[in-house]
Amino acid sequence: MKEKLKDALALATAVLVVSALYMVFIYAPTEANMGNIQRIFYFHVSFAWTGFVAFFGTFAGSIMYLIRKKRCWDILAVSSAEIGIAFCLVVLTTGPIWARPVWGAWWTWDPRLVTFLILTFMFVAYMIVRGAIEEETKRGRFSAVIGIIAFLNVPLTYVANVMWRTIHPDVIRPDKVDLDPRMIHALFMSMSAITLLYVILLLWRMDLEGMRDRVAELKKKIMEEA
């Protein structure tokens, strides 16, 4: 039953991804000032949003691990962190590609860009700490604390456009959305596809971590019997 659910999710993800590609490149109109380079926006925003969701998964898993001390929560935290870092790297790649023809520079020390970069580095540090500690309980406890602290930078990154003067575009605001309706449709289709992609990747990554635990237990048992 579990495998059938994953297969169904994988199929739904594929359908949504194909639909998102159609809406981004065909359905959505070309932006008047930036031209076709603006289409990066749909992927850039979608991966950024889902990166935040992934880091929330690490945040929630870390809190639950500190409370319950159960390995399953640590598995959720690390699996979600790895996917979040990968998604953030997509954001940090698509951003400069979009910025170069629009801003005339690959990178500017804009508050949102800087806070997002720091956020990514903090979760990379989370992974480094995990790799440096061998004892399972100690590793889970130390990395959980870092995962919780690192997540506090997510809301800071989100509100950077409000707190500081910035050139980063902010077309989606609580009171107004400065987009053509077809662009909104394409954006939300893209966000849905990437969010579901995160979910299926998370399930697969957690399964992989579970298999690693079982292999480690088997090795330990063999060593004890030898």
Side-chain angles (χ1 to χ4, degrees), residues 3-21:
E3 292 304 317
K4 288 183 178 179
L5 176 60
K6 290 178 185 174
D7 291 342
L9 281 173
L11 179 59
T13 301
V15 171
L16 280 181
V17 168
V18 172
S19 300
L21 291 172

Side-chain angles (χ1 to χ4, degrees), residues 3 15 24 34-35 42 45 57 67 92 101 120 123 152 162 165 170 173 177 183 189 200 205 207 213 226:
E3 292 304 317
V15 171
V24 167
M34 290 181 280
Y42 303 104
V45 173
I67 295 172
L92 291 170
T120 305
F123 277 94
L152 299 179
V162 178
R165 193 171 181 177
D170 191 17
R173 301 186 297 273
V177 179
M183 291 181 174
M189 177 60 76
I200 191 64
R205 179 61 183 81
D207 280 350
D213 283 354

Side-chain angles (χ1 to χ4, degrees), residues 29 31 80 133 141 167 203:
E31 208 277 334
S80 201
I133 303 174
R141 186 171 63 252
I167 63 172
L203 293 175

Side-chain angles (χ1 to χ4, degrees), residues 4 8 15 18 24 54 66 83 85 101 112 117 137 143-144 148-149 164 166 170 172 177 199 203 213 216:
K4 288 183 178 179
V15 171
V18 172
V24 167
L66 292 177
I83 298 169
I85 292 170
R112 175 164 283 183
L117 182 64
T137 303
S143 57
I148 293 169
I149 295 172
W164 296 288
T166 172
D170 191 17
I172 303 175
V177 179
V199 172
L203 293 175
D213 283 354

Side-chain angles (χ1 to χ4, degrees), residues 28-207:
T30 302
E31 208 277 334
N33 297 316
M34 290 181 280
N36 282 319
I37 194 68
Q38 182 268 346
R39 297 185 192 278
I40 292 176
F41 158 80
Y42 303 104
F43 304 106
H44 184 74
V45 173
S46 298
F47 276 99
W49 154 256
T50 315
F52 290 162
V53 171
F55 291 150
F56 177 78
T58 300
F59 174 73
S62 297
I63 290 176
M64 292 304 298
Y65 179 78
L66 292 177
I67 295 172
R68 298 291 182 88
K69 304 293 190 299
K70 290 186 177 180
R71 170 66 173 150
C72 61
W73 294 112
D74 186 43
I75 289 176
L76 169 63
V78 65
S79 300
S80 201
E82 282 193 1
I83 298 169
I85 292 170
F87 281 17
C88 283
L89 292 177
V90 174
V91 176
L92 291 170
T93 301
T94 55
I97 294 173
W98 183 15
R100 183 65 179 86
V102 177
W103 293 346
W106 294 103
W107 178 269
T108 64
W109 295 102
D110 181 86
R112 175 164 283 183
L113 273 63
V114 172
T115 52
F116 192 90
L117 182 64
I118 292 172
L119 174 67
T120 305
F121 283 159
M122 291 176 77
F123 277 94
V124 169
Y126 169 92
M127 296 304 303
I128 292 173
V129 169
R130 292 192 65 90
I133 303 174
E134 292 187 7
E135 201 278 313
E136 182 180 300
T137 303
K138 186 178 179 181
R139 180 179 64 231
R141 186 171 63 252
F142 273 66
S143 57
V145 172
I146 296 174
I148 293 169
I149 295 172
F151 178 77
L152 299 179
N153 199 29
V154 169
L156 179 63
T157 302
Y158 182 77
V159 301
N161 281 19
V162 178
M163 294 180 64
W164 296 288
R165 193 171 181 177
T166 172
I167 63 172
H168 194 280
D170 191 17
V171 296
I172 303 175
R173 301 186 297 273
D175 59 328
K176 187 179 180 182
V177 179
D178 294 326
L179 290 173
D180 180 285
R182 289 172 294 172
M183 291 181 174
I184 297 174
H185 300 158
L187 174 61
F188 281 101
M189 177 60 76
S190 179
M191 290 176 68
S192 299
I194 302 304
T195 300
L196 197 55
L197 176 63
Y198 157 71
V199 172
I200 191 64
L201 288 176
L202 179 64
L203 293 175
W204 287 340
R205 179 61 183 81
M206 291 177 70
D207 280 350

